[in-house]
Amino acid sequence: MKIFAIETSCDETALSLVECTGGAKKPQFKVLKNLISTQIAVHRPFGGVVPSLAKREHIKNLPKLLKRMGFSASGKEFDAIAVTVGPGLEPALWQGVEFAQALAKKFNKPLIGANHMEGHMYSILLPKNAVSTKMPSSKFQVKKFGTENPKVKFPAVGLVVSGGHTIVVRMDSFTKWKKLGETRDDAAGEAFDKVARMLKLPYPGGPEIQKLGAKGNPKAIDFPKPMINSGDYDFSFSGLKTAVLYYLRDHPRANKADVAASFQQAVIDVLTKKAMRAAEQFGAQTVFLCGGVAANKPLRASLQLQAERRGMHFVVPEFVFNTDNAVMIAAAAYIGHLRKKTYKIVVNPHLNL
Ligand code: KG4
Ligand code: ZN
């Protein structure tokens, strides 16, 4: 089936058209269209996402992107519409949901509610070897997509790490999975964003910390690695964030590159250790990494090294599918539809995995 998906949970307005086949055993996704309009420049002066501005930008961008999808009046190009119902910013989510409801009515198509976090999780199934080109009005448009769908062998254990969530999950099949643990306070991406702000780096902080950290020594400062040895699969990043704050207060002339590198290393060590412990405990054949923070190159390298050392297969989506996009929403809607577990078309900002 062909799914037209809409994503507006945060600061990206995204539309996609994805051909979904293969069923629950071997789901395959062919990306026909992928449009992402990022609002980073709008929110940057405020140091973070401003919900009312996000809403305003979605209202402005949704019709523009729809036009660029080039659908005919009958909507014959797709069989169903999917929309993110949560989690995310409530005013932002509503824009996508109302837009999707109006289109479902206009085109007389079924409307499928999708969970943004399931979208990130299923992004591990999206095709590899995408070639992307930067565009002035949107972050990137992928011109050519690979046709190779990554192989995921079960059991699989992975990390879903974004701006709002940090979760360890075990997958026994594409339709059966269990959350093993999650953060008790800040998400990993949130910690990156907050520490970036302390270092006077622009929003979003993750890529900025990575860039600055590449010039620093990750062993320079021994920041705490909260809960690294706790017996569960939960995380806590707020203490680490505070440790960076106090370090900067007590060392006004600190080498910022060393601070960025050492902070990043502390996050990577905790994420890698917990994910690998879960992978060993459950005899994982595949280890995966997804969500916006999966774009972090040293984190990708750390998890890949540790997984492959143990003879486990490592899967991480293409960079273009790490941060928010609507292709992953189509994938989540398709699998939700196969599982007979789709979401009501009602915004739920606190939806979880
Ligand atoms: O998944 P995502 O696009 O949005 C949410 O669902 O939250 O994730 C955004 C988060 C932000 O906190 C951003 O700083 C982080 O992902 N991020 C990174 C990198 N690129 C994005 N964190 C670390 N390193 C990166 N290269
Ligand atoms: Zn996201």
Side-chain angles (χ1 to χ4, degrees), residues 33 35 92 128 152 170 174 213 276 312 322:
K33 285 207 167 108
L35 300 178
K128 299 298 251 179
V152 177
R170 185 186 89 206
F174 291 121
M276 294 320 302
M312 299 163 182
N322 289 158

Side-chain angles (χ1 to χ4, degrees), residues 9-12 116-117 120 139 161-165 188-193 203-210 264 291-297 322-324 328:
S9 69
C10 193
D11 59 346
E12 324 276 4
H116 183 85
M117 299 317 292
H120 276 304
K139 198 155 56 176
V161 273
S162 70
H165 295 78
E190 194 178 352
F192 269 97
D193 294 336
Y203 175 84
E208 300 292 331
I209 297 253
Q210 180 183 315
Q264 177 175 264
V293 182
N296 187 272
K297 285 185 184 166
N322 289 158
T323 42
D324 292 347
M328 69 184 198

Side-chain angles (χ1 to χ4, degrees), residues 277-297:
R277 201 157 49 73
E280 281 178 352
Q281 184 182 341
F282 296 105
Q285 298 223 51
T286 302
V287 171
F288 63 86
L289 173 66
C290 53
V293 182
N296 187 272
K297 285 185 184 166

Side-chain angles (χ1 to χ4, degrees), residues 43-342:
H43 300 288
R44 197 162 249 185
F46 302 95
V49 180
V50 183
S52 59
L53 291 181
K55 173 182 164 168
R56 188 193 74 188
E57 290 298 303
H58 290 312
I59 294 175
K60 202 168 79 188
N61 291 326
L62 281 166
K64 283 192 196 165
L65 293 187
L66 177 66
K67 217 168 167 189
R68 294 235 319 255
M69 294 296 277
F71 294 139
S72 53
S74 64
K76 64 176 187 311
E77 292 83 359
F78 54 91
D79 305 301
I81 303 179
V83 65
T84 306
V85 296
L89 303 170
E90 192 163 357
L93 287 162
W94 271 118
Q95 291 317 310
V97 167
E98 284 175 2
F99 191 72
Q101 280 174 321
L103 292 178
K105 209 164 157 194
K106 178 177 163 204
F107 290 112
N108 193 24
K109 303 275 179 177
L111 183 54
I112 306 173
N115 177 332
H116 183 85
M117 299 317 292
E118 289 181 15
H120 276 304
M121 187 172 76
Y122 290 122
S123 67
I124 60 171
L125 292 171
L126 300 179
K128 299 298 251 179
N129 309 321
V131 178
S132 51
T133 45
K134 279 193 194 294
M135 305 236 315
S137 59
S138 63
K139 198 155 56 176
F140 28 61
Q141 184 185 31
V142 177
K143 284 232 170 113
K144 265 193 227 151
F145 291 94
T147 45
E148 181 200 336
N149 279 247
K151 285 186 185 58
V152 177
K153 287 190 188 161
F154 299 108
V157 165
L159 289 167
V160 190
V161 273
S162 70
H165 295 78
T166 303
I167 299 170
V168 185
V169 61
R170 185 186 89 206
M171 266 182 150
D172 294 313
S173 74
F174 291 121
T175 52
K176 194 165 165 259
W177 41 264
K178 188 177 186 302
K179 187 165 74 179
L180 301 174
E182 66 188 320
T183 184
R184 295 185 182 175
D185 42 55
D186 291 355
E190 194 178 352
F192 269 97
D193 294 336
K194 287 178 176 167
V195 167
R197 212 176 305 167
M198 293 175 203
L199 293 170
K200 310 231 172 348
L201 297 170
Y203 175 84
E208 300 292 331
I209 297 253
Q210 180 183 315
K211 215 183 330 168
L212 182 62
K215 297 180 201 145
N217 175 5
K219 294 197 179 115
I221 307 154
D222 192 17
F223 284 129
K225 294 173 185 167
M227 298 181 70
I228 193 163
N229 291 317
S230 69
D232 53 23
Y233 296 114
D234 285 350
F235 301 95
S236 165
F237 290 108
S238 108
L240 169 60
K241 175 191 72 184
T242 312
V244 177
L245 183 72
Y246 289 162
Y247 186 87
L248 290 171
R249 183 195 64 187
D250 298 340
H251 303 81
R253 271 177 236 166
N255 177 331
K256 287 188 174 178
D258 283 349
V259 174
S262 302
F263 158 76
Q264 177 175 264
Q265 195 57 49
V267 176
I268 292 173
D269 287 350
V270 176
L271 290 175
T272 306
K273 178 102 188 255
K274 292 246 162 148
M276 294 320 302
R277 201 157 49 73
E280 281 178 352
Q281 184 182 341
F282 296 105
Q285 298 223 51
T286 302
V287 171
F288 63 86
L289 173 66
C290 53
V293 182
N296 187 272
K297 285 185 184 166
L299 172 62
R300 291 161 87 104
S302 165
L303 216 58
Q304 177 161 16
L305 179 75
Q306 296 305 325
E308 289 177 356
R309 242 184 214 171
R310 291 164 176 80
M312 299 163 182
H313 179 54
F314 177 69
V315 176
V316 65
E318 288 280 320
F319 285 107
V320 65
F321 298 133
N322 289 158
T323 42
D324 292 347
N325 64 86
V327 178
M328 69 184 198
I329 300 306
Y334 178 63
I335 296 176
H337 170 75
L338 297 173
R339 289 171 76 205
K340 298 195 174 34
K341 190 178 184 299
T342 51

